[in-house]
Amino acid sequence: MNDAETLPVPATLLKISKSLAALDAIFCQEWELRYFSHNSKWAEDEEMGSMRDGEGSDYFAIFSSYGCAIKGCYSKSNSSVLLDLAASKKNQVPERFSEFITEPAFSIEEASFITWFDEKIEKWKSANPNSSPDIDGRSYLLNWLKKGPDFYKNWAEKYYEKEVNAGLVSLVFNFQPLDLSSLSKLGVELDKKN
């Protein structure tokens, strides 16, 4: 089983993408320094979630009426992975994702993996499925979308070098309403200018 096959269904993945972006907006009010972002109005009937680690690895996920797909770029992938993917993506990635594949913002030529949800069989599929998840980065990059609140909390405490309230992370992952006063009660310091 490849790492993409263990991803949740697109509706759940969309919520996770929004949760990661919301939490990063709480802990890092400077957009340029955030790992995660989510654009609910990427295009008509399309949303886009992304992760950039600042060291060359990233993923972009598209959520649309025609489906869900993820492009990942793992900075530690070797060039043979990129060449194998380049050769297979045109033949394997469904035509409905052609705009996603050609979107300049996603730097598709740097992709080390592409995965999409096949609604007919209700499973995730990958271009170049024989590539090792450790080499093409699926193991590292897709963990964010699979591991949940505890994974994010542990990472955020190390990355932001501060204690992260587990209750807050749980509220956000469970799509519970938050306002400035509830964030303050949870001990979150916000820059009122941003």
Side-chain angles (χ1 to χ4, degrees):
M1 177 178 298
N2 76 50
D3 269 11
E5 290 177 2
T6 60
L7 283 169
V9 296
T12 302
L13 202 67
L14 177 62
K15 288 183 176 184
I16 292 168
S17 178
K18 289 179 178 182
S19 296
L20 292 167
L23 285 163
D24 253 23
I26 291 168
F27 294 118
C28 182
Q29 279 110 60
E30 295 180 54
W31 183 83
E32 303 83 26
L33 301 177
R34 294 181 197 156
Y35 252 55
F36 302 98
S37 65
H38 189 90
N39 185 336
S40 63
K41 296 182 182 353
W42 174 252
E44 189 174 334
D45 295 325
E46 286 186 357
E47 297 186 39
M48 186 273 296
S50 65
M51 185 284 294
R52 295 177 188 200
D53 71 1
E55 296 178 12
S57 294
D58 61 39
Y59 71 69
F60 294 92
I62 195 81
F63 303 91
S64 72
S65 56
Y66 60 80
C68 179
I70 303 167
K71 167 263 174 186
C73 172
Y74 186 50
S75 61
K76 296 179 178 121
S77 289
N78 61 41
S79 59
S80 66
V81 170
L82 302 179
L83 291 172
D84 289 346
L85 181 62
S88 66
K89 71 183 175 191
K90 290 183 180 177
N91 297 326
Q92 293 181 3
V93 179
E95 178 64 29
R96 68 182 185 272
F97 295 115
S98 61
E99 283 185 39
F100 174 69
I101 296 296
T102 58
E103 172 58 53
F106 300 150
S107 306
I108 210 74
E109 67 282 351
E110 297 173 11
S112 54
F113 71 86
I114 300 171
T115 187
W116 64 93
F117 190 74
D118 187 328
E119 293 83 3
K120 291 179 184 169
I121 60 172
E122 297 185 358
K123 286 188 180 181
W124 288 92
K125 291 182 141 187
S126 292
N128 201 12
N130 298 324
S131 177
S132 164
D134 292 326
I135 293 173
D136 70 15
R138 283 176 286 169
S139 294
Y140 167 68
L141 293 170
L142 297 180
N143 270 338
W144 297 108
L145 301 169
K146 298 186 306 186
K147 298 280 185 161
D150 289 336
F151 186 77
Y152 179 86
K153 178 191 176 299
N154 292 333
W155 168 81
E157 287 182 332
K158 290 176 190 156
Y159 185 72
Y160 294 116
E161 298 178 343
K162 60 180 160 184
E163 189 173 330
V164 172
N165 184 302
L168 169 64
V169 175
S170 181
L171 284 172
V172 173
F173 264 84
N174 288 305
F175 264 57
Q176 298 301 307
L178 288 174
D179 57 23
L180 291 178
S181 68
S182 61
L183 287 173
S184 181
K185 288 176 191 171
L186 291 167
V188 175
E189 294 179 29
L190 296 174
D191 180 353
K192 303 287 189 208
K193 293 179 265 179
N194 292 326

